[in-house]
Amino acid sequence: STMTGGRLKRISDYLDEDDFCFTYGDGLADIDISELIAFHSSQNRLATITAVQPPGRFGSINVTGNKVEKFIEKPQGDGGWINAGFFVLSPKVMNYIQDDATIWEQEPLVNLATDNQLSAYVHNGFWRPMDTLRDKRALEELWENENAPWKVW
């Protein structure tokens, strides 16, 4: 029953003063972690979030009246950036987490942004969530066809 922020706070005793990597573990990406860490180090902020544009799921249309002006099958996102779930954090972010009930994606990230302590590492490469059975099947198909962009070893 511990929320994402609460789970993160529970590891506080195992941290020293060094920055550390944090992920949810429910997404796959071809992020260069060394590059992500170097970017974070260059920003002089407490936290770095990886930003991605999610893959399109449906065809997109532009409509004027009843005429379709443009059609694109499954465009790359809608132009918005989302949290990819890969972070580099200073142990000082624990000060933004109150207790087990704290949701990392709410007050802590909102307050880090408000305090100018949150950087965005923009990743334009492969990223996919694995939140649904549909996601799982799509990722397994990539793996089985030896077309898994996240497999870098």
Side-chain angles (χ1 to χ4, degrees):
S1 61
T2 304
M3 301 308 295
T4 49
R7 291 193 296 271
L8 181 56
K9 184 134 182 149
R10 285 183 176 221
I11 67 158
S12 299
D13 293 342
Y14 301 100
L15 301 173
D16 54 24
E17 69 278 353
D18 295 330
D19 293 348
F20 64 98
C21 295
F22 167 64
T23 187
Y24 305 125
D26 64 350
L28 293 168
D30 63 354
I31 298 166
D32 183 329
I33 299 298
S34 296
E35 191 177 295
L36 170 60
I37 292 169
F39 173 83
H40 171 77
S41 296
S42 75
Q43 297 301 297
N44 199 29
R45 292 194 175 103
L46 297 181
T48 296
I49 189 171
T50 301
V52 296
Q53 288 187 310
R57 185 167 169 205
F58 303 103
S60 172
I61 58 175
N62 291 350
V63 178
T64 302
N66 64 355
K67 179 183 176 196
V68 175
E69 300 287 339
K70 186 175 183 181
F71 177 85
I72 303 171
E73 177 60 10
K74 298 182 182 172
Q76 180 68 23
D78 61 1
W81 294 90
I82 66 164
N83 168 13
F86 294 87
F87 301 87
V88 182
L89 305 173
S90 162
K92 293 177 184 174
V93 301
M94 299 304 173
N95 295 328
Y96 287 80
I97 303 170
Q98 187 172 29
D99 56 28
D100 280 356
T102 302
I103 299 170
W104 172 245
E105 302 78 15
Q106 292 182 4
E107 292 87 5
L109 285 179
V110 168
N111 292 334
L112 282 161
T114 299
D115 293 347
N116 194 30
Q117 291 299 317
L118 183 62
S119 293
Y121 175 79
V122 174
H123 178 65
N124 290 304
F126 179 86
W127 174 86
R128 296 292 185 279
M130 189 160 72
D131 297 327
T132 66
L133 183 56
R134 179 180 184 271
D135 296 335
K136 178 181 181 284
R137 288 179 176 150
L139 291 167
E140 285 176 342
E141 183 176 331
L142 289 173
W143 183 266
E144 290 165 5
N145 291 324
E146 297 185 20
N147 191 22
W150 67 89
K151 184 180 179 184
V152 294
W153 61 93

